[in-house]
Amino acid sequence: MAEELDLTGQDSDGGSEEVVLTPAELIERLEQAWMNEKFAPELLESKCEIVECVMEQLDHMEENLRRAKKGDLKVSIHRMEMERIRYVLSSYLRCRLMKIEKFFPHILEKEKTRREGESSSLSPEEFAFAKEYMANTDTYLKNVALKHMPPNLQKMDLLRSVPKPDLDSYVFLRVKERQENILVEPETDEQRDYVIDLEEGSQHLIRYKTIAPLVASGAVQLI
Amino acid sequence: MFCEKAMELVRELHRTPEGQLPAFNEDGLRQVLEEMKTLYEQNQSDVNEAKSGGRGALISTIKLRHCCLLRNRRCAAAYLYDRLLRIRALRWECGSVLPNALRFHMSAEEMEWFNHYKKSLATYMRSLGGDEGLDITQDMKPPKSLYIEHFLPRWKCEQLIRQGVLEHVLS
């Protein structure tokens, strides 16, 4: 089953580039996206293409299983693999939905102010879900409480009331591509800014905010 | 003391363990809203008096009442929102049909919120591709069996055992 899957990505010039991945590479990408999403305090960039390709992959596997002989040992092994992939994919999507629900005003605000060409942290379906969640919650609070309150208190700014993700929280990471001169901001006023190099293969415990762009670029992997 | 009822609402939920939903405290909420109405009306009249009579001494009272109004609103919103989060968690725990015991603890508006949420979630899951999408409320735990146990005739497995693909389990 050496099929290759097309993953159309955007290269840095904004043009489309076709990256062809083996199924194994695709699943590895999924697992990396899954771990990054689990350990990052904020919602990361949407990886629609990976999700789509994995769904296709699962469909192919299902097809192959239906055609295979019953009782063949390969069937059980493939089924187990399918369960594993389905678990990782579901867990990844659940993690994202939970963050969307938790930080919905901030995520929607970020999407509203996103510049053209900048990648979105929401897939179109996630965006629709987030908007519905906002509208649903907003309507509920208005009808049950806010509209019964004094006129000058009826507008509640959800951006101020709902907490933001804590970007200062610490994360574990493994360095995939060597990085030089990463600026680390001090935690307290007594400390000064300092600069570190991240060696390939090294592991660190560091504040998320410092390395957020490196997660997005794939230079580091959260663990 | 002002905001007592609002604090009671918050305390009620603070005491309730995760996964549980107490009955909707309609009475409590109503009392908070009534207190807000009273405070606001008192402030309105004091503001008018301060403006016309120039009684500067009223300013601090007005400010205090305003703080209480804000606090009441914050507590009421926290109470309602926390309940929504608990109800949301129930969709993931119990599925789309909630047990009766829980339903009786929800207000009609909470039920409506829940129905909208369910629908939104279903639409999202269906959109995930394939024929019926992907039900991400399943597969909540990693697959348990690392190894599949099979009863196979010995002659079929011997080769695979030697290759290290299978392990002979004696049970």
Side-chain angles (χ1 to χ4, degrees), chain A residues 55 73 76 80 86-87 93-94 97-98 101 104 125 132 136-137 140 149-153 155-156, chain B residues 36 40 73 77 81 88 92 110 113 116-117 120 127-129 136 138-142 145 148 150:
Chain A
M55 287 295 293
L73 189 60
S76 311
M80 199 165 72
R86 219 197 323 264
Y87 168 73
L93 294 171
R94 272 197 295 269
L97 271 193
M98 261 178 253
E101 291 174 9
F104 68 95
E125 296 80 20
E132 282 165 21
N136 195 13
T137 306
Y140 171 79
M149 291 186 180
N152 64 331
L153 288 163
K155 271 194 130 53
M156 204 162 156
Chain B
M36 287 180 79
Y40 180 70
R73 183 176 72 169
Y81 189 64
R88 174 248 180 233
W92 291 84
E110 284 179 330
W113 184 89
H116 283 305
Y117 178 75
S120 211
S127 76
L128 290 170
I136 59 177
Q138 304 299 315
D139 307 301
M140 297 288 273
K141 293 214 177 81
S145 45
I148 314 163
H150 268 279

Side-chain angles (χ1 to χ4, degrees), chain A residues 51-52 55 58-59 71-73 76-77 80 83-84 86-87 89-91 93-94 96-98 101-102 104 123 125-126 128-129 132-133 136-137 140-141 143-146 148-157 162, chain B residues 24 29 33 36-37 40 66 69-70 73 76-77 80-81 84-85 88 92 107 109-110 112-113 116-117 120-121 124 127-130 133-143 145-148 150 152 160 165-166:
Chain A
V51 174
E52 263 173 51
M55 287 295 293
L58 284 173
D59 279 340
D72 196 347
L73 189 60
S76 311
I77 295 180
M80 199 165 72
E83 261 178 50
R84 199 174 70 81
R86 219 197 323 264
Y87 168 73
L89 181 62
S90 297
S91 183
L93 294 171
R94 272 197 295 269
R96 287 181 63 83
L97 271 193
M98 261 178 253
E101 291 174 9
K102 196 165 176 191
F104 68 95
S123 73
E125 296 80 20
E126 284 171 340
F129 177 83
E132 282 165 21
Y133 189 82
N136 195 13
T137 306
Y140 171 79
L141 288 174
N143 286 339
V144 174
L146 292 176
H148 304 291
M149 291 186 180
N152 64 331
L153 288 163
Q154 286 185 6
K155 271 194 130 53
M156 204 162 156
D157 188 2
V162 175
Chain B
F24 187 76
L29 182 64
L33 292 171
M36 287 180 79
K37 185 158 176 273
Y40 180 70
H66 188 68
L69 281 165
L70 289 175
R73 183 176 72 169
L80 295 170
Y81 189 64
L84 288 185
L85 294 180
R88 174 248 180 233
W92 291 84
S107 70
E109 291 85 2
E110 284 179 330
E112 213 184 306
W113 184 89
H116 283 305
Y117 178 75
S120 211
L121 184 61
Y124 170 75
S127 76
L128 290 170
L134 181 69
D135 186 353
I136 59 177
T137 65
Q138 304 299 315
D139 307 301
M140 297 288 273
K141 293 214 177 81
S145 45
L146 285 179
Y147 306 108
I148 314 163
H150 268 279
L152 284 176
L160 291 167
V165 172
L166 292 181

